[in-house]
């Protein structure tokens, strides 16, 4: 009976594995079609510069599939990364961001827009072909774009990481570290790489709330102070509540991103959402914004 049990577990695992492969194959085939049929769109999540109230954006890809429904990027990006489809996804995102910047200059005036760079493109020619060429062709100023690179990507191959960052910087992009603090990594890269900023991972931000956990606030406080000492612009991601917002601004955090300010939105919803937010905090006499 014991042996049978073990066999049936093994069979179950194999079946799960086969099912997962099948799901992935279906998703890959659908993604291939999606790219041909232009099903991918880009949403923008507004971010707020806490010192100047300037709004910046992060571009986040969205896939509304008629067959699979809404597929979150954390599901399909890893599938795309196993194939060359990631190159097409990236080209599509970069192209759409550039087109939006060109077509609605009033929304993007003085704003920086960040784009997430996949580890699968961490090769100079791939970056050139699927990223830089498109931006040049569209005539978008690289200084208005920011590239987000995760800590994991850098630590996987720090030498290559350094080369790529130098290359991106030379062209004129800002470069920031995304999901800062999640991976077990050396802080050494903060001083050796020419970065513009870091984004504190949501897992740290979600810990700071009305319970005022001293330890969690101390960690965030430390990260902000370290960033300041190193002349890095510091963003908090995943800010969902007024408490978090207030604590982070009082700690001197430069930029706030999260549902408290705005969710990621289609382009046409940005203007009214931002206006609504500013009205709301002015009405509440939030004390943070000076009435302009
Ligand atoms: P990320 O770059 O760390 O992006 C932030 C994620 O957190 C986004 O999820 C965003 O919608 C979500 N978020 C923002 N504020 C809040 C908040 O207050 N609370 C909570 N719970 N979540 C918040 P999304 O759009 O599902 O993207 C997930 C990840 O997929 C991104 O993480 C990024 O790694 C990747 N991704 C998204 N778009 C692209 C893209 O165009 N290219 C590449 N290579 N990766 C992308
Ligand atoms: Mg990001
Ligand atoms: Mg992030
Ligand atoms: Mg994240």
């Amino acid at each position: 009976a014991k042996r049978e049990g073990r066999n049936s577990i093994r069979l179950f695992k194999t079946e799960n594995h086969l099912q997962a492969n099948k799901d992935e194959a279906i998703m890959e085939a659908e993604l291939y079609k999606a790219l041909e049929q232009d099903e991918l769109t880009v949403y923008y999540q507004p971010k707020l510069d806490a010192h100047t109230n300037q709004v910046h954006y992060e571009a986040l890809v969205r896939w509304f599939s008629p067959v699979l429904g809404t597929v979150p990027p954390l599901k399909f990006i890893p599938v795309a990364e196993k194939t060359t489809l990631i190159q097409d996804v990236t080209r599509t995102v970069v192209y759409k961001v550039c087109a939006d910047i060109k077509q609605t200059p009033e929304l993007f005036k003085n704003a920086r827009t960040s784009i997430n760079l996949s580890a699968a493109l961490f090769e100079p020619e791939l970056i050139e072909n699927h990223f830089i060429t498109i931006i040049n062709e569209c005539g978008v100023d690289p200084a208005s774009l920011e590239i987000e690179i995760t800590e994991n990507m850098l630590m996987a191959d720090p030498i290559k990481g350094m080369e790529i960052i130098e290359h991106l910087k030379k062209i004129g992009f800002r470069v920031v570290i995304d999901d800062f603090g999640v991976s077990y990594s050396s802080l050494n890269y903060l001083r050796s790489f020419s970065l513009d900023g870091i984004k504190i991972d949501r897992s740290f931000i979600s810990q700071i709330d009305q319970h005022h956990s001293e330890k969690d606030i101390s960690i965030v406080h430390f990260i902000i102070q370290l960033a300041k000492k190193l002349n890095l612009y510091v963003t908090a991601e995943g800010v969902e509540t007024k408490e978090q917002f207030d604590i982070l601004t009082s700690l001197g955090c430069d930029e706030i991103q999260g549902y408290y300010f705005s969710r990621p939105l289609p382009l046409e919803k940005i203007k009214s959402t931002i206006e609504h937010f500013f009205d709301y905090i002015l009405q509440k006499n939030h004390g943070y914004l000076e009435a302009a």
Side-chain angles (χ1 to χ4, degrees), residues 94-106:
V94 172
Y95 181 74
K96 285 181 187 285
V97 169
C98 289
D100 287 340
I101 291 176
K102 284 284 166 189
Q103 278 157 29
T104 44
E106 64 286 359

Side-chain angles (χ1 to χ4, degrees), residues 45 58-62 73-74 77 93 116-118 148 178-179 202 237-240 258-259 264:
Q45 186 172 32
E58 176 171 6
L60 294 159
V61 68
R62 291 292 179 264
L74 284 175
I77 295 277
V93 169
N116 293 280
L117 184 62
S118 160
E148 295 192 11
D178 200 0
D179 302 340
R202 182 167 85 230
E237 65 172 26
V239 180
E240 293 183 349
Y259 297 169

Side-chain angles (χ1 to χ4, degrees), residues 8 91 141 155 227 278 292:
S8 62
R91 292 175 69 86
D141 180 6
M155 298 326 286
F278 283 124

